[in-house]
Amino acid sequence: MVETQKALLLVVLAVLAYPNDIFGGAYQPEFAGPLTNLTISLGRDATFTCLVKHLGGYRVGWVKSDTKAIQAIHDHVITHNKRISVSHSDHTIWNLNIKAVQVEDEGLYMCQINTDPMKSQTGMLSVVVPPDFVSEDTSSDINIGEGGQVKLTCRARGIPRPRVSWRREDGKGIIIREPAGSALNQKSHVTTQTEFYGEELKLTKISRAEMGVYLCIASNGIPPAVSKRISINVHFPPAIHVPNQLVGAPLGTDVVLECYVEASPMSINYWIKEKGMMIISSTQHVVDMIEKSPFEVRMILTIKNLQKHDVGTYLCAAKNSLGEVDSTIRLYEIPGPAKTELATWASFYDETNNKIPYGQTEMDKAENNSVYMENSLLHGSNHARLPPTLATALPTSISSEDNLILCHTLASPMLNIEFLSFPSRQAIK
């Protein structure tokens, strides 16, 4: 009898001391919180946490709902996926760990307690993938003749699906030409866009101004966004523009001739004297080539200390694989000041900056300076300065009225010293 009482007392004490470990516990197990949905980038780690209270002698299991594949039961991993592991803390926090998440890991996961009936809750694992280009479906650098048509393609993949946009690397606008109607000879509707959206970019009737690097950018909100550089090279034969085809200068001065060349591929550019001799840099000649853009070059020929044998016709020539062209400049002598005069002259050539001004503003300034000097000479000003250096650009064609103006100019006190008698510097003082 005493032994029986002792045994019952021990059972009661055990139930009171360990209520959750005896016959499933005094309380039924339940979840202490929901299973949180996860959104994980490809290659990162994911962890589902299942919160349970009053677990007692029951067990926690993990199942991938869409495939019905058991991942783990309590402390034991069942799946053969080596990236899956489980952990727990104080029988209340149960974790399912997925290392280096892959796209195939995406789906619904279930945390179960083996009660009767079974208790369970689910959480969704969503895998996001940053954008990437499909190289076999994406354009590379393109060479196209001027006036042709180009279709650039950028195929991108990722989760969610990426958005593709286009920009020019130099910041200029993208020119989109669309037919304004069904007629073949009808003009196109032209728009300029800073940014164009879509996987395909069509450029029609392409011009040299559209040459350059185009950026294809793919983004889907999952960093990092990616971009690809596609270079469009527009090819055309050389063309030459000559600002001044007639240049006059006094002997003993430095003269500058210039041509502007546009060509793609880049042309071979050179100067030729009228007798067919190529001019290279020397003590008498300085040849400069200044690149203004990928297809524009400024050719500059400086003739030092102009002599009689330098007068004549000069050719600036350009040649590439699509053709060749040349243009002429005629250099002639004009009367200059007496060499005893210690005067300076503001020419079109800026010797301090080694630049040649080009434009109406600079021409107007030079014209104003000429009027000032002529007036000064006529009124005997001792501030008048005569030119030892002068390169005068004349029009290519001269009308009968122009002849009168030209004769007046050449006979003016400013340019033709033989019509004037100049006092010496001592006499002026």
Side-chain angles (χ1 to χ4, degrees):
M1 184 67 178
V2 175
E3 294 296 329
T4 302
Q5 290 178 345
K6 287 183 178 180
L8 290 174
L9 180 60
L10 289 174
V11 170
V12 171
L13 290 174
V15 170
L16 293 175
Y18 306 102
N20 295 331
D21 293 333
I22 305 299
F23 309 112
Y27 303 96
Q28 281 290 309
E30 59 185 25
F31 294 111
L35 199 61
T36 304
N37 295 329
L38 302 178
T39 300
I40 305 296
S41 294
L42 182 71
R44 299 293 184 90
D45 297 342
T47 299
F48 281 107
T49 299
C50 191
L51 301 176
V52 181
K53 60 182 179 180
H54 311 312
L55 182 61
Y58 294 97
R59 292 177 177 270
V60 173
W62 293 94
V63 177
K64 195 170 188 292
S65 298
D66 53 353
T67 61
K68 306 299 182 182
I70 299 174
Q71 305 296 298
I73 297 177
H74 224 58
D75 294 329
H76 304 290
V77 176
I78 304 302
T79 181
H80 295 293
N81 188 343
K82 295 182 179 180
R83 294 182 292 106
I84 301 291
S85 64
V86 290
S87 59
H88 65 89
S89 175
D90 297 332
H91 286 73
T92 58
I93 302 175
W94 295 84
N95 298 317
L96 176 68
N97 308 304
I98 308 173
K99 187 177 181 181
V101 165
Q102 302 300 308
V103 174
E104 58 267 23
D105 296 327
E106 184 173 82
L108 201 62
Y109 287 79
M110 180 185 294
C111 175
Q112 298 178 343
I113 304 175
N114 64 336
T115 55
D116 188 15
M118 179 189 69
K119 293 183 178 181
S120 66
Q121 59 179 359
T122 58
M124 183 69 185
L125 172 63
S126 299
V127 180
V128 293
V129 182
D132 189 20
F133 291 115
V134 182
S135 57
E136 58 268 24
D137 294 332
T138 298
S139 301
S140 55
D141 294 349
I142 293 177
N143 297 326
I144 184 71
E146 191 167 32
Q149 178 174 311
V150 172
K151 183 175 78 170
L152 302 181
T153 303
C154 255
R155 298 274 187 249
R157 58 193 166 200
I159 303 175
R161 185 175 178 177
R163 187 184 191 190
V164 176
S165 63
W166 297 85
R167 296 177 188 171
R168 289 188 62 170
E169 190 176 58
D170 57 12
K172 296 179 180 178
I174 297 174
I175 301 175
I176 305 297
R177 299 177 180 88
E178 297 176 341
S182 58
L184 294 176
N185 58 351
Q186 195 164 0
K187 290 185 178 180
S188 300
H189 177 64
V190 180
T191 59
T192 302
Q193 302 179 20
T194 304
E195 192 167 17
F196 178 84
Y197 292 94
E199 291 188 336
E200 292 184 352
L201 173 63
K202 294 181 180 179
L203 304 174
T204 60
K205 298 179 181 178
I206 195 165
S207 69
R208 64 193 67 181
E210 296 170 77
M211 184 189 307
V213 175
Y214 288 71
L215 299 176
C216 166
I217 304 167
S219 60
N220 64 353
I222 310 301
V226 292
S227 65
K228 178 177 174 61
R229 299 173 77 253
I230 302 176
S231 179
I232 297 180
N233 300 306
V234 180
H235 288 177
F236 54 91
I240 294 179
H241 166 65
V242 180
N244 300 311
Q245 290 186 305
L246 282 173
V247 177
L251 297 179
T253 61
D254 293 350
V255 183
V256 175
L257 310 180
E258 63 176 351
C259 294
Y260 290 85
V261 178
E262 293 186 4
S264 178
M266 190 65 78
S267 57
I268 299 172
N269 307 313
Y270 52 94
W271 291 92
I272 298 177
K273 190 72 165 63
E274 56 190 340
K275 294 181 180 179
M277 296 179 58
M278 184 179 295
I279 301 173
I280 59 176
S281 290
S282 62
T283 55
Q284 186 181 359
H285 301 102
V286 178
V287 177
D288 290 314
M289 303 289 174
I290 301 175
E291 187 173 320
K292 299 183 63 182
S293 76
F295 62 89
E296 292 177 289
V297 171
R298 180 184 177 191
M299 301 174 60
I300 301 174
L301 172 62
T302 303
I303 304 170
K304 293 183 173 295
N305 191 23
L306 182 67
Q307 301 299 313
K308 283 279 188 183
H309 60 81
D310 295 320
V311 173
T313 301
Y314 290 79
L315 278 78
C316 51
K319 181 179 181 179
N320 70 3
S321 57
L322 300 178
E324 57 184 303
V325 67
D326 59 53
S327 189
T328 61
I329 300 176
R330 189 165 70 86
L331 175 61
Y332 61 95
E333 175 193 354
I334 62 174
K339 292 187 177 181
T340 55
E341 290 294 333
L342 300 176
T344 59
W345 179 258
S347 69
F348 293 122
Y349 182 65
D350 185 350
E351 297 179 354
T352 58
N353 294 324
N354 197 26
K355 295 180 180 178
I356 303 174
Y358 178 63
Q360 188 60 43
T361 303
E362 288 74 15
M363 298 290 286
D364 291 343
K365 290 180 181 178
E367 185 178 348
N368 293 335
N369 288 337
S370 300
V371 173
Y372 166 75
M373 293 179 192
E374 186 170 356
N375 290 336
S376 300
L377 285 169
L378 290 173
H379 293 87
S381 170
N382 62 352
H383 296 290
R385 302 192 295 177
L386 290 175
T389 304
L390 171 62
T392 304
L394 297 179
T396 306
S397 59
I398 303 174
S399 65
S400 57
E401 293 183 1
D402 292 332
N403 282 332
L404 295 176
I405 298 172
L406 178 60
C407 291
H408 169 72
T409 303
L410 293 177
S412 69
M414 180 178 62
L415 293 178
N416 199 336
I417 194 169
E418 63 185 77
F419 292 110
L420 292 174
S421 175
F422 290 95
S424 66
R425 186 173 296 274
Q426 290 78 7
I428 292 176
K429 292 181 179 180

